[in-house]
Amino acid sequence: MTDIFELVEGLINSDDKKAYQCLKQLESESALSANVYPFFPIFVEMLSNANSYIRTRALILIAANAKWDIDYKIDEIIEFYLKHITDDKPITARHCIKALPSIAKYKPDLKLDIENALYKADPTKFNESMRPLVEKDIQKALKDIRKL
């Protein structure tokens, strides 16, 4: 496997295909070990990036590392993370919403905050073609979280 630091650097590569491959490898590694978790501050920084693809990658990797979060780093940034439920880009919002059950699973103390944010989310800001998809994602995330 490529060095994790190189993969993390690759997340902001201008070649989206290369950046996506880095994301997939980091996501796989995150499922197996805590080796990616030390890069958490970089993922948090990526949440503010103007590029929605980079924000999406950060959302996915933060959620993928929730099970390794013994330092309560997600707790510290959860409000900022939850703002992405209604990200300017609906695809980014959808990725955020889909990642929330994983965070709730490993961070049960945040479950209520996550549910409240989903209930309060206003998908009417999205265009008519995306709104029903976001609404469906919210309902599925709430259903999955309730099962935990």
Side-chain angles (χ1 to χ4, degrees):
M1 181 166 129
T2 309
D3 177 67
I4 291 176
F5 181 74
E6 289 176 24
L7 292 172
V8 170
E9 283 185 326
L11 291 170
I12 57 172
N13 193 308
S14 58
D15 180 343
D16 286 327
K17 286 184 181 183
K18 286 183 183 174
Y20 181 74
Q21 289 307 311
C22 291
L23 168 66
K24 287 296 162 201
Q25 288 183 53
L26 290 167
E27 205 174 4
S28 293
E29 182 63 29
S30 297
L32 302 172
S33 77
N35 292 339
V36 178
Y37 180 68
F39 298 93
F40 191 92
I42 294 172
F43 307 146
V44 173
E45 190 177 309
M46 289 168 57
L47 288 176
S48 299
N49 197 290
N51 183 315
S52 65
Y53 292 121
I54 293 173
R55 291 194 306 276
T56 298
R57 292 176 203 130
L59 292 163
I60 291 168
L61 288 170
I62 288 170
N65 282 277
K67 66 177 159 182
W68 311 114
D69 187 24
I70 57 171
D71 302 321
Y72 302 98
K73 291 179 181 180
I74 291 177
D75 303 56
E76 294 171 11
I77 58 108
I78 193 65
E79 279 187 47
F80 184 48
Y81 189 100
L82 294 172
K83 288 182 189 301
H84 294 280
I85 291 171
T86 54
D87 191 276
D88 290 338
K89 298 291 185 181
I91 300 298
T92 301
R94 294 189 71 202
H95 279 286
C96 175
I97 294 162
K98 290 175 183 180
L100 291 172
S102 178
I103 292 175
K105 176 181 179 180
Y106 294 107
K107 307 293 287 181
D109 53 315
L110 298 177
K111 187 176 167 184
L112 190 59
D113 293 331
I114 293 168
E115 287 176 319
N116 287 338
L118 287 167
Y119 283 122
K120 291 177 185 174
D122 182 12
T124 60
K125 75 177 274 183
F126 300 116
N127 67 39
E128 289 181 29
S129 66
M130 291 303 290
R131 189 176 310 137
L133 298 172
V134 173
E135 289 169 347
K136 197 177 287 186
D137 291 338
I138 289 171
Q139 292 310 311
K140 181 173 182 345
L142 284 166
K143 181 180 170 190
D144 291 348
I145 291 168
R146 282 187 215 112
K147 290 179 186 175
L148 298 174

